Amino acid sequence: MKRYDVIVVGAGHAGCEAALAAARIGCRTAMVTLKTDAVARMSCNPAIGGLAKGHLVREIDALGGTIGRMADACGIQFRLLNRSRGPAVRGPRAQQDKDRYHHAMLREVLATPLLDLIEDEVVDLVVEGGAIRGVVSGSGEELMSDRVVVTTGTFLRGLMHTGESTTTGGRFGEPAAGRLSLALNRLGFRMGRFKTGTPPRLEKTSVDLSRFEVQAGDRSPVFFSDLTTAVSLPQVPCHLAVTNSAVHEIVRSNLEHC
């Protein structure tokens, strides 16, 4: 049995920020994740920011967080959305080299004093007298703490829909946090599920990019962190495509499958 000041369950964007923040203020912290090689993995959308999230990332940076610096360091295209409109509706967005982002955040986690990265599954919560006292790992070890932060994201009661087939999982090739879901349900938490959408992947060499409209990044990038002064990586363009009547007909003829 090990004791920590703070235990964080999950190592996505939220988990990393929570664990790093706790460790920085002097708390002995454990971050438990199913796979250490999936820390801060960008699965569905290799971008950070946008109209709402861009403001959130900048607020986290103002509070001393990490995601803004990482997004700036690993960005391969920066755009300020709604630049032609008022400041209230503008939002910074940066396309990411998602492999570099994962490795950069993992290095940050491993280099942070007082922060232990544990590869295991949290399967139950230790509750005594109506208060949290720790967690139980899949290996049977008890990690004790009076403060547990759950950041399981899509892994909690995770379902994946591919066409008309449905499988359990938090991400392709990775299991869902099923036992933790049951533990929370037993404690009386109302369980729900948010829908995410995974865009299709195309092999770049199979696409005739000359038929698409080129969308370059901003010449003077707006960064997420006030500590960033210049881009770190070579910048790449995006390419825009539009639907047409043939695509619309395919959608209309298959609405019953949605």
Side-chain angles (χ1 to χ4, degrees), residues 49-254:
L51 299 184
K53 294 179 183 177
H55 289 277
L56 180 60
V57 172
R58 298 204 71 183
E59 289 172 356
I60 293 172
D61 179 74
L63 293 170
T66 307
I67 188 172
R69 290 189 291 106
M70 293 298 159
D72 289 344
C74 302
I76 56 177
Q77 189 197 82
F78 295 84
R79 285 181 61 83
L80 184 65
L81 306 183
N82 287 344
R83 183 182 285 272
S84 63
R85 301 183 182 179
V89 294
R90 295 173 189 163
R93 183 188 67 196
Q95 304 293 335
Q96 298 290 299
D97 182 322
K98 62 181 185 179
D99 290 331
R100 284 179 181 267
Y101 186 92
H102 153 67
H103 289 296
M105 188 65 82
L106 180 60
R107 285 194 299 270
E108 183 92 358
V109 167
L110 295 176
T112 300
L114 300 179
L115 176 54
D116 291 345
L117 179 61
I118 300 173
E119 186 175 76
D120 207 333
E121 179 184 5
V122 170
V123 299
D124 205 352
L125 302 174
V126 180
V127 177
E128 298 174 358
I132 191 72
R133 294 290 181 247
V135 303
V136 180
S137 71
S139 61
E141 184 178 12
E142 288 189 348
L143 306 175
M144 308 307 294
S145 176
D146 294 335
R147 301 167 186 86
V148 176
V149 182
V150 179
T151 64
T152 46
T154 60
F155 284 72
L156 205 62
R157 299 184 70 222
L159 288 178
M160 298 182 294
H161 305 283
T162 306
E164 296 184 0
S165 65
T166 300
T167 55
T168 61
R171 191 159 46 204
F172 182 75
E174 298 180 45
R179 288 185 282 182
L180 180 58
S181 305
L182 293 175
L184 289 169
N185 193 51
R186 287 196 304 270
L187 291 171
F189 286 92
R190 186 175 66 179
M191 306 299 291
R193 186 183 290 113
F194 290 104
K195 178 189 177 298
T196 66
T198 303
R201 272 78 161 179
L202 298 175
E203 175 62 45
K204 183 178 179 180
T205 57
S206 70
V207 181
D208 182 4
L209 294 178
S210 66
R211 301 176 62 183
F212 293 80
E213 178 185 348
V214 177
Q215 184 187 63
D218 293 340
R219 292 187 176 182
S220 299
V222 174
F223 297 115
F224 292 106
S225 177
D226 288 335
L227 299 175
T228 305
T229 58
V231 297
S232 300
L233 299 176
Q235 301 295 285
V236 300
C238 289
H239 295 80
L240 301 179
V242 296
T243 59
N244 53 36
S245 58
V247 174
H248 300 170
E249 181 56 36
I250 292 173
V251 172
R252 281 192 293 267
S253 62
N254 287 276

Side-chain angles (χ1 to χ4, degrees), residues 5-32 39 66 105 108-110 112-118 149-151:
D5 298 315
V6 177
I7 295 173
V8 178
V9 183
H13 296 310
C16 288
E17 291 293 350
L20 289 166
R24 287 195 193 105
I25 63 174
C27 296
R28 174 81 172 170
T29 306
M31 181 164 63
V32 188
V39 168
T66 307
M105 188 65 82
E108 183 92 358
V109 167
L110 295 176
T112 300
L114 300 179
L115 176 54
D116 291 345
L117 179 61
I118 300 173
V149 182
V150 179
T151 64

